[in-house]
Amino acid sequence: MNVMVILTSALLTLFAQSRANTDSNKCISAKTCGQCIQIGPQCVWCKDPDFKPARCDHQDSLERAGCTALGIENPRGTITIDMNKPVTKHKIDVEEKLMPDEINRIQPQKVTLHLRSGEAQQFMLTFKTAEDNLNAQPDSLSSEVILENSRLPDGVSISFVSHCKNGVSEREENGRKCSKISIGEEVKFDVEIMAKGCPSNGTSETIKIKLSGFTEEVEIMLNFICECECHKDKIPNSPACTDSNGTLECGVCRCNEGRLGSLCECSRDEVQTEDPDANCRMGYEMDICSNNGDCVCGTCECKKRDNPEERYSGKFCECDNFNCDRANNKLCGGHGRCECRVCICDANYMGRACDCPLDTSTCMASNKLICNGRGVCDCGVCRCTDSKFQGSTCEICPTCPGVCAKNKDCVECRAFHTGDKKDTCDRDCRYFSMKVVKRNDLPQPLDRHYIAHCKERDANDRWFFFTYALNNDGNDEVHVAEFEE
């Protein structure tokens, strides 16, 4: 395969994997702590001064990357009930008249919320109809209560869940109301308020919830969490920023006008973009210089490795020469070179780890045929396709006629020191392992996948019995029955 095609394919795969990871994690795009926490409650900031990975991420990712517990910035929303007079419970009769302003139909009356983007705050609102100047008996009149809210700031949403009589609960528009409420009856509503981003540029707002047809209302103060606590400790013209050209805030430099870069090291005149780091990313929201280098005014400078033979390379430091597949504990099997995490194999080798030799000499049988014509040579090893043949070159056929006769002389000389090969036994007959056993202990057909049972006459015209088989390791194995007295 063409080298450029392989490299291009590897880079596209790397890009796709990284893009898939970053598309599901919007946190890492944030440049400041304020931006981070406005993305959503899942995003957390690390303010440790020497922290190198993306500072805005999920908390478990930051902790795995080495952010300290004190370095975590993760403000959460709160709810405070400021006025909570109970609804009027007692019955009002003729002798005990209350003025309208003495009757509490709604509880609570004042609430303060601190809202972080994407994190809902919830409280329960209670409404109770009162028996006032209506000369009516309990349950003799009924009405409908509908909740209305004042205009919401942009980016703020509100929802209700009603809990009406007989345990019936409703959501969405029906969550604002309860019908057929008898006099003296109590109903409840879950009120949920959520902000997105930083509404009103962080300025506090007040909204009200009223009951249609009634004067009572709930006053809700909305405070928006748009910055982290560490924002208060910012250091203008900090020496931590190049030539004091920025404000150190939450561990990062916010650059003065005309300066750019993570340490405000770049002049706007030097870089043709507001974000010089963008020139150091291979794709949207991907790591700067693939996390293998530093972005210096829009150009990646790749890290050095302790081993001088190992190098990062590429415009985005996305390549290296040491992260390729291995075989036999060797990079590219010792038969190729690693380029951008892909093995480029030497001649006569192929495979992801260059572990597949194209040389067929190791598959050559004694008859000069590849795998004896009974198989195929796969990466220098015979894969026998004829089920009767086996062995390193597919030449062994234990069940073929003639196996017994072919090996008879060697078995006889090894087992009984007799026969035609007794004088050359050590030289000619060491190609198998042998065990002498009782005849009843000879291996049976089911003991081996390929096994031949043999009965031959020795030099003294006595019958002797043996089996011939091939072990999984490719070695011949012979079992010989000892002569019985």
Side-chain angles (χ1 to χ4, degrees), residues 407-409 411-412 415-416 454-459 462-466 480-481 483:
N407 296 286
K408 173 254 182 187
D409 290 340
V411 173
E412 181 181 353
F416 309 117
C454 303
K455 176 183 177 182
E456 297 289 337
R457 287 186 181 275
D458 69 359
R462 292 180 301 177
W463 290 107
F464 69 96
F465 303 87
F466 66 93
V480 186
F483 284 122

Side-chain angles (χ1 to χ4, degrees), residues 149-196:
N149 57 269
S150 60
R151 183 180 178 278
L152 300 174
D154 291 341
V156 175
S157 61
I158 189 169
S159 62
F160 301 91
V161 178
S162 61
H163 302 287
C164 306
K165 58 192 303 184
N166 301 323
V168 176
S169 296
E170 296 282 355
R171 296 177 179 274
E172 299 180 350
E173 282 304 308
N174 286 335
R176 290 176 171 268
K177 62 184 179 180
C178 281
S179 301
K180 299 180 179 179
I181 302 175
S182 301
I183 290 179
E185 188 174 356
E186 185 176 287
V187 294
K188 296 180 181 295
F189 297 86
D190 291 328
V191 182
E192 183 176 282
I193 300 177
M194 186 166 64
K196 185 66 177 175

Side-chain angles (χ1 to χ4, degrees), residues 25 167 171 241 377 446 460:
N25 184 3
R171 296 177 179 274
C241 307
C377 189
L446 294 179
N460 298 317

Side-chain angles (χ1 to χ4, degrees), residues 359-374:
D359 182 12
T360 59
S361 61
T362 54
C363 295
M364 193 71 70
S366 58
N367 57 8
K368 304 303 179 185
L369 294 177
I370 299 296
C371 300
N372 191 33
R374 305 285 183 173

Side-chain angles (χ1 to χ4, degrees), residues 207-431:
I207 64 171
K208 295 181 179 182
I209 298 176
K210 301 181 68 174
L211 293 154
S212 179
F214 295 91
T215 59
E216 289 95 336
E217 62 185 16
V218 182
E219 182 179 287
I220 305 171
M221 173 70 74
L222 305 180
N223 298 306
F224 304 107
I225 302 174
C226 298
E227 289 290 354
C228 302
E229 283 296 311
C230 54
H231 172 73
K232 301 174 183 177
D233 302 324
K234 60 186 176 183
I235 304 174
N237 303 317
S238 169
C241 307
T242 304
D243 297 328
S244 301
N245 278 315
T247 298
L248 184 64
E249 181 181 315
C250 300
V252 297
C253 288
R254 278 193 174 183
C255 299
N256 297 339
E257 184 67 27
R259 303 299 297 184
L260 301 169
S262 60
L263 296 175
C264 309
E265 71 275 18
C266 305
S267 167
R268 190 181 301 276
D269 296 335
E270 298 174 316
V271 183
Q272 302 302 313
T273 176
E274 289 293 321
D275 180 14
D277 289 349
N279 292 334
C280 295
R281 291 188 179 93
M282 194 163 65
Y284 176 69
E285 291 187 353
M286 295 178 70
D287 286 336
I288 295 173
C289 299
S290 307
N291 206 26
N292 296 322
D294 298 316
C295 185
V296 180
C297 297
T299 302
C300 284
E301 291 186 359
C302 299
K303 296 176 183 175
K304 304 294 184 183
R305 299 275 297 178
D306 292 337
N307 183 347
E309 298 298 318
E310 297 179 350
R311 297 180 300 278
Y312 292 110
S313 60
K315 179 180 178 181
F316 307 102
C317 303
E318 74 279 12
C319 296
D320 64 60
N321 67 344
F322 53 87
N323 268 322
C324 287
D325 290 328
R326 293 176 177 266
N328 299 320
N329 205 30
K330 294 180 179 179
L331 193 66
C332 298
H335 301 297
R337 66 186 186 278
C338 180
E339 292 188 5
C340 203
R341 304 183 180 183
V342 175
C343 283
I344 307 300
C345 300
D346 297 339
N348 292 324
Y349 284 90
M350 62 179 295
R352 290 178 59 89
C354 302
D355 54 346
C356 180
L358 300 178
D359 182 12
T360 59
S361 61
T362 54
C363 295
M364 193 71 70
S366 58
N367 57 8
K368 304 303 179 185
L369 294 177
I370 299 296
C371 300
N372 191 33
R374 305 285 183 173
V376 294
C377 189
D378 189 359
C379 296
V381 177
C382 279
R383 180 164 52 83
C384 303
T385 54
D386 188 325
S387 60
K388 293 187 297 182
F389 287 81
Q390 54 189 283
S392 60
T393 53
C394 303
E395 294 182 85
I396 298 173
C397 180
T399 59
C400 292
V403 170
C404 297
K406 177 182 177 182
N407 296 286
K408 173 254 182 187
D409 290 340
C410 277
V411 173
E412 181 181 353
C413 78
R414 289 274 302 275
F416 309 117
H417 309 292
T418 59
D420 294 342
K421 285 187 176 289
K422 67 178 181 178
D423 296 329
T424 60
C425 198
D426 287 342
R427 184 191 69 194
D428 298 338
C429 300
R430 293 295 173 188
Y431 58 87

Side-chain angles (χ1 to χ4, degrees), residues 78-83 110-114:
T78 60
I79 180 169
T80 304
I81 305 299
D82 301 314
M83 184 179 292
K110 288 187 178 182
V111 179
T112 298
L113 303 182
H114 287 81

